[in-house]
Amino acid sequence: MMWRDTEGAATNPRTSRAAIAIGTFDGVHRGHQHVLDRTRELADGAPVVAVTFDPHPMAVVRPDREPRKLTTLERRVELLREHGADEVRVLAFSAEMSGWSPAEFVERVLVDELRSSVVVVGEKFRFGHKAAGDVAFLGTAGEQHGFRAVGLPLIGDGEVLSSTRVRTHIAAGELVEAADVLGRPHEVSGVVTRGDQRGRELGFPTANVPVDDTYAVPPDGVYAGWVVRASSERLPAAISIGTNPTFDGVERRVESYVLDRTDLDLYDELIRVELVDRLRGMVKYEGIEPLIEQMNQDVEDARARLAP
């Protein structure tokens, strides 16, 4: 199947014309949001369809250069809808598809499957075998097949808005700067697992999510942020990322203490952890008392950082 059957995404060939926004859309940052907004402006009443790729094309053509993901695929689909897509399509990128010429990609995807009336992309968008297709090719193909092609610069406040830039900020622990590009806090997500119960013993029960190394996760340290439940309830939290060096931990985790709540049972629940700002680096403490003192300080620092 050309389209990946993902919750919230469509798979059947379209039967009417549509305005297409196409790109990897990793993170659905403010540049991507601009593409969606412009697609809506050019749609002339047609539905806006966002087309994304999974896996990332680089994972197929250059696996050693596959970038760390900024969101899960399901969250990407959700964000594309939140930012204006009437329909989302996930192109199941494969080795076979990587061999398609730019003309074949246009004909099979944009014409036969999607019946495009206008196609909007970032100005550096490349497609087809060996990335031979660009915006200029798309424009020429559009004249042949009856759609308009538009390439947009992804710039905000005079700076390039890119997923690479977001990853660079995250790797440096610069969550405020990452949020400026994304238009929201960076987040990690996962199912809450049972940990060592040490946080509960110390008076700070945490919701533990194992770190998936294929996703962009900031450096070890303590962060202020929010735990977001499936119900959309947002809870303020002090968040530790690391291996718990005071207790010689091995597994890297995202551990979230919801402020002033010791009654929550989040085990086996899928949560999102929004990371607002870095409070400090990770420290190994000699003994429990200095650790508890620091944890109390972390809670107050997180509370102050998250205050309206």
Side-chain angles (χ1 to χ4, degrees):
M1 179 185 288
M2 180 179 293
W3 306 108
R4 195 170 297 290
D5 189 7
T6 302
E7 184 176 354
T11 58
N12 293 329
R14 288 195 54 79
T15 57
S16 60
R17 301 298 292 272
I20 310 300
I22 184 169
T24 304
F25 292 130
D26 187 18
V28 194
H29 56 62
R30 289 194 296 121
H32 299 145
Q33 294 164 32
H34 175 51
V35 169
L36 290 166
D37 290 343
R38 185 62 177 140
T39 307
R40 173 71 64 191
E41 292 172 358
L42 296 170
D44 194 27
V48 171
V49 177
V51 178
T52 185
F53 301 84
D54 185 71
H56 192 291
M58 197 63 74
V60 174
V61 299
R62 288 290 304 272
D64 58 314
R65 296 182 59 185
E66 179 185 2
R68 295 182 187 274
K69 295 183 281 286
L70 295 176
T71 67
T72 64
L73 177 60
E74 292 76 15
R75 180 62 172 152
R76 193 192 323 166
V77 171
E78 183 179 18
L79 287 167
L80 287 167
R81 285 189 169 278
E82 285 182 8
H83 289 287
D86 298 306
E87 182 180 301
V88 177
R89 299 265 174 158
V90 181
L91 203 56
F93 197 78
S94 63
E96 178 190 356
M97 191 176 293
S98 73
W100 291 357
S101 68
E104 187 174 8
F105 182 91
V106 167
E107 291 167 8
R108 295 183 67 164
V109 177
L110 299 180
V111 179
D112 294 345
E113 285 283 320
L114 299 179
R115 302 193 63 186
S116 306
S117 59
V118 60
V119 178
V120 183
V121 297
E123 64 180 0
K124 294 184 179 180
F125 178 70
R126 305 297 294 254
F127 64 100
H129 185 53
K130 295 186 177 180
D134 57 11
V135 174
F137 181 93
L138 203 56
T140 301
E143 292 175 2
Q144 177 184 352
H145 293 286
F147 64 82
R148 179 182 177 187
V150 177
L152 300 177
L154 304 187
I155 296 176
D157 303 321
E159 295 186 292
V160 174
L161 302 172
S162 70
S163 301
T164 298
R165 183 177 160 199
V166 175
R167 293 187 198 96
T168 299
H169 285 313
I170 293 169
E174 298 167 350
L175 276 303
V176 173
E177 292 82 355
D180 181 60
V181 181
L182 288 167
R184 66 182 188 283
H186 176 59
E187 61 193 42
V188 295
S189 63
V191 175
V192 177
T193 61
R194 293 187 180 274
D196 304 314
Q197 306 291 307
R198 288 200 183 93
R200 186 171 297 279
E201 294 170 3
L202 299 174
F204 300 92
T206 57
N208 303 326
V209 174
V211 169
D212 184 337
D213 286 335
T214 65
Y215 288 84
V217 178
D220 290 0
V222 176
Y223 297 80
W226 302 86
V227 169
V228 185
R229 306 182 71 178
S231 63
S232 298
E233 181 182 18
R234 296 175 76 247
L235 303 166
I239 301 150
S240 171
I241 298 177
T243 59
N244 207 339
T246 298
F247 297 99
D248 298 320
V250 176
E251 183 185 35
R252 194 164 185 246
R253 303 171 182 162
V254 178
E255 302 182 81
S256 303
Y257 166 64
V258 176
L259 303 189
D260 307 317
R261 296 290 299 271
T262 59
D263 60 322
L264 288 172
D265 182 0
L266 300 177
Y267 292 126
D268 300 320
E269 185 173 327
L270 177 64
I271 64 171
R272 298 201 320 268
V273 181
E274 296 181 353
L275 298 160
V276 173
D277 203 0
R278 193 169 198 247
L279 300 177
R280 64 175 178 87
M282 188 59 69
V283 177
K284 180 175 182 178
Y285 292 92
E286 300 298 330
I288 300 299
E289 292 305 318
L291 173 61
I292 292 177
E293 182 179 349
Q294 182 60 62
M295 292 170 75
N296 279 299
Q297 184 61 56
D298 292 338
V299 167
E300 294 312 309
D301 290 345
R303 192 190 313 281
R305 180 63 184 83
L306 298 173

